[in-house]
PDB file of all heavy atoms in Angstrom:
ATOM      1  N   PRO A 430      -3.470  25.134 -15.299  1.00  0.00           N
ATOM      2  CA  PRO A 430      -4.927  25.137 -15.210  1.00  0.00           C
ATOM      3  C   PRO A 430      -5.351  25.190 -13.754  1.00  0.00           C
ATOM      4  O   PRO A 430      -4.668  24.668 -12.873  1.00  0.00           O
ATOM      5  CB  PRO A 430      -5.331  23.809 -15.857  1.00  0.00           C
ATOM      6  CG  PRO A 430      -4.126  22.954 -15.764  1.00  0.00           C
ATOM      7  CD  PRO A 430      -2.946  23.874 -15.791  1.00  0.00           C
ATOM      8  N   VAL A 468     -45.548  31.156 -15.794  1.00  0.00           N
ATOM      9  CA  VAL A 468     -45.942  32.566 -15.757  1.00  0.00           C
ATOM     10  C   VAL A 468     -46.253  32.926 -14.311  1.00  0.00           C
ATOM     11  O   VAL A 468     -46.983  32.209 -13.624  1.00  0.00           O
ATOM     12  CB  VAL A 468     -47.191  32.825 -16.626  1.00  0.00           C
ATOM     13  CG1 VAL A 468     -47.560  34.297 -16.624  1.00  0.00           C
ATOM     14  CG2 VAL A 468     -46.978  32.346 -18.036  1.00  0.00           C
ATOM     15  N   PRO A 473     -43.341  38.719  -5.880  1.00  0.00           N
ATOM     16  CA  PRO A 473     -42.737  37.894  -4.831  1.00  0.00           C
ATOM     17  C   PRO A 473     -43.077  38.430  -3.440  1.00  0.00           C
ATOM     18  O   PRO A 473     -42.966  39.627  -3.191  1.00  0.00           O
ATOM     19  CB  PRO A 473     -41.240  37.982  -5.110  1.00  0.00           C
ATOM     20  CG  PRO A 473     -41.042  39.060  -6.076  1.00  0.00           C
ATOM     21  CD  PRO A 473     -42.339  39.340  -6.733  1.00  0.00           C
ATOM     22  N   THR A 489     -42.466  37.300 -15.418  1.00  0.00           N
ATOM     23  CA  THR A 489     -43.524  38.240 -15.763  1.00  0.00           C
ATOM     24  C   THR A 489     -44.036  37.955 -17.170  1.00  0.00           C
ATOM     25  O   THR A 489     -45.204  38.151 -17.457  1.00  0.00           O
ATOM     26  CB  THR A 489     -43.022  39.693 -15.666  1.00  0.00           C
ATOM     27  OG1 THR A 489     -41.846  39.825 -16.458  1.00  0.00           O
ATOM     28  CG2 THR A 489     -42.706  40.046 -14.219  1.00  0.00           C
ATOM     29  N   VAL A 508     -34.702  23.730 -10.031  1.00  0.00           N
ATOM     30  CA  VAL A 508     -35.720  24.659 -10.529  1.00  0.00           C
ATOM     31  C   VAL A 508     -37.106  24.018 -10.462  1.00  0.00           C
ATOM     32  O   VAL A 508     -38.084  24.689 -10.116  1.00  0.00           O
ATOM     33  CB  VAL A 508     -35.373  25.119 -11.964  1.00  0.00           C
ATOM     34  CG1 VAL A 508     -36.490  25.945 -12.565  1.00  0.00           C
ATOM     35  CG2 VAL A 508     -34.092  25.912 -11.954  1.00  0.00           C
ATOM     36  N   LEU A 515     -43.803  27.066  -5.661  1.00  0.00           N
ATOM     37  CA  LEU A 515     -44.550  28.241  -6.103  1.00  0.00           C
ATOM     38  C   LEU A 515     -45.918  27.858  -6.664  1.00  0.00           C
ATOM     39  O   LEU A 515     -46.875  28.628  -6.544  1.00  0.00           O
ATOM     40  CB  LEU A 515     -43.731  29.019  -7.129  1.00  0.00           C
ATOM     41  CG  LEU A 515     -42.450  29.663  -6.592  1.00  0.00           C
ATOM     42  CD1 LEU A 515     -41.640  30.261  -7.730  1.00  0.00           C
ATOM     43  CD2 LEU A 515     -42.762  30.709  -5.550  1.00  0.00           C
ATOM     44  N   VAL A 521     -47.410  31.010  -9.246  1.00  0.00           N
ATOM     45  CA  VAL A 521     -47.130  30.846 -10.670  1.00  0.00           C
ATOM     46  C   VAL A 521     -48.139  29.867 -11.255  1.00  0.00           C
ATOM     47  O   VAL A 521     -48.773  29.096 -10.530  1.00  0.00           O
ATOM     48  CB  VAL A 521     -45.694  30.326 -10.950  1.00  0.00           C
ATOM     49  CG1 VAL A 521     -44.660  31.309 -10.486  1.00  0.00           C
ATOM     50  CG2 VAL A 521     -45.476  28.985 -10.344  1.00  0.00           C
ATOM     51  N   GLN A 530     -49.776  21.579 -35.345  1.00  0.00           N
ATOM     52  CA  GLN A 530     -50.167  20.401 -36.102  1.00  0.00           C
ATOM     53  C   GLN A 530     -48.968  19.854 -36.867  1.00  0.00           C
ATOM     54  O   GLN A 530     -48.058  20.591 -37.249  1.00  0.00           O
ATOM     55  CB  GLN A 530     -51.263  20.750 -37.094  1.00  0.00           C
ATOM     56  CG  GLN A 530     -52.576  21.110 -36.443  1.00  0.00           C
ATOM     57  CD  GLN A 530     -53.611  21.481 -37.490  1.00  0.00           C
ATOM     58  OE1 GLN A 530     -53.259  21.878 -38.594  1.00  0.00           O
ATOM     59  NE2 GLN A 530     -54.874  21.338 -37.144  1.00  0.00           N
ATOM     60  N   GLY A 544     -49.515  32.993 -53.705  1.00  0.00           N
ATOM     61  CA  GLY A 544     -48.822  34.259 -53.496  1.00  0.00           C
ATOM     62  C   GLY A 544     -47.419  34.242 -54.061  1.00  0.00           C
ATOM     63  O   GLY A 544     -46.950  35.222 -54.644  1.00  0.00           O
TER      64      GLY A 544
END
Side-chain angles (χ1 to χ4, degrees):
V468 182
T489 54
V508 173
L515 294 173
V521 297
Q530 292 179 336

